[in-house]
Amino acid sequence: MTPASLRRYAWLSIAAACATILLKGVAWWLTGSVGLLSDALESLVNLAGAVMALAMLTLAARPADENHAYGHGKAEYFSSAFEGFLILVAAVSIGVAAVERLHNPRPLEAVGPGLAISLVAGLVNFATARVLLGVGRRYRSITLEADGHHLMTDVWTSVGVIVGVAGVAVTGWNVLDPLIALLV
């Protein structure tokens, strides 16, 4: 499979990111959970990573020319590094939101529907990550593998947030929401 034909998987990642932004945004809006807000912010980072992956796969698909005798395949490494950087940015933004909520805790609302929606978003990311990882390994696309790993990181983040929000609902300890967001 050529880098040009791998672009459809970057489009899959873009579609999944748009879907999870919407789902997680609704979950946050329903509950007011900083953990779910941080999860939604991570999905924005996923979208940026997926767009970068598409751009680098498009560049990598260009044929060899005078300045690039072996083609443009190395462009994929830029996408891989960008994905790593985006994970760091997401972690910092989650930390900032969580610390603010530690100082100003508040009760959560509509936890059941919010968690159900967040779970659906996590399943979308899990399925997309598995596809990207498999295709990336099979066709040796570091871009798709990096995007798949990034999405799998988001899956684990979502699991932690869901557990934290459920813990708040069960115990009533509002401080658990930002603490779990920080731990995740």
Side-chain angles (χ1 to χ4, degrees):
M1 194 173 281
T2 66
S5 57
L6 292 175
R7 285 184 292 198
R8 67 180 170 189
Y9 294 101
W11 282 109
L12 170 66
S13 185
I14 289 169
C18 289
T20 58
I21 288 167
L22 178 65
L23 291 167
K24 291 177 181 183
V26 169
W28 164 70
W29 181 74
L30 287 172
T31 64
S33 164
V34 72
L36 291 174
L37 171 62
S38 68
D39 213 17
L41 291 174
E42 169 62 19
S43 292
L44 287 171
V45 173
N46 291 348
L47 178 59
V51 169
M52 178 65 156
L54 177 64
M56 291 302 104
L57 286 170
T58 300
L59 183 59
R62 293 175 49 197
D65 58 28
E66 279 183 24
N67 296 325
H68 303 91
Y70 299 102
H72 296 82
K74 299 254 187 221
E76 287 196 58
Y77 288 102
F78 289 106
S79 180
S80 177
F82 186 66
E83 291 280 352
F85 172 73
L86 290 176
I87 291 170
L88 179 63
V89 169
V92 169
S93 66
I94 290 166
V96 168
V99 167
E100 190 280 325
R101 185 56 60 91
L102 275 172
H103 293 291
N104 302 302
R106 58 180 229 230
L108 303 182
E109 301 175 19
V111 173
L115 290 180
I117 292 168
S118 187
L119 181 63
V120 169
L123 292 172
V124 167
N125 274 341
F126 179 78
T128 304
R130 298 294 301 158
V131 168
L132 294 175
L133 287 168
V135 171
R137 285 185 189 121
R138 182 181 311 153
Y139 297 105
R140 295 183 179 171
S141 171
I142 191 171
T143 297
L144 292 179
E145 278 194 73
D147 201 25
H149 283 297
H150 185 173
L151 285 179
M152 198 56 81
T153 300
D154 190 48
V155 169
W156 289 111
T157 301
S158 294
V159 168
V161 169
I162 288 169
V163 167
V165 172
V168 171
V170 169
T171 66
W173 299 341
N174 294 322
V175 74
L176 280 179
D177 181 37
L179 286 176
I180 293 296
L182 280 171
L183 288 173
V184 169

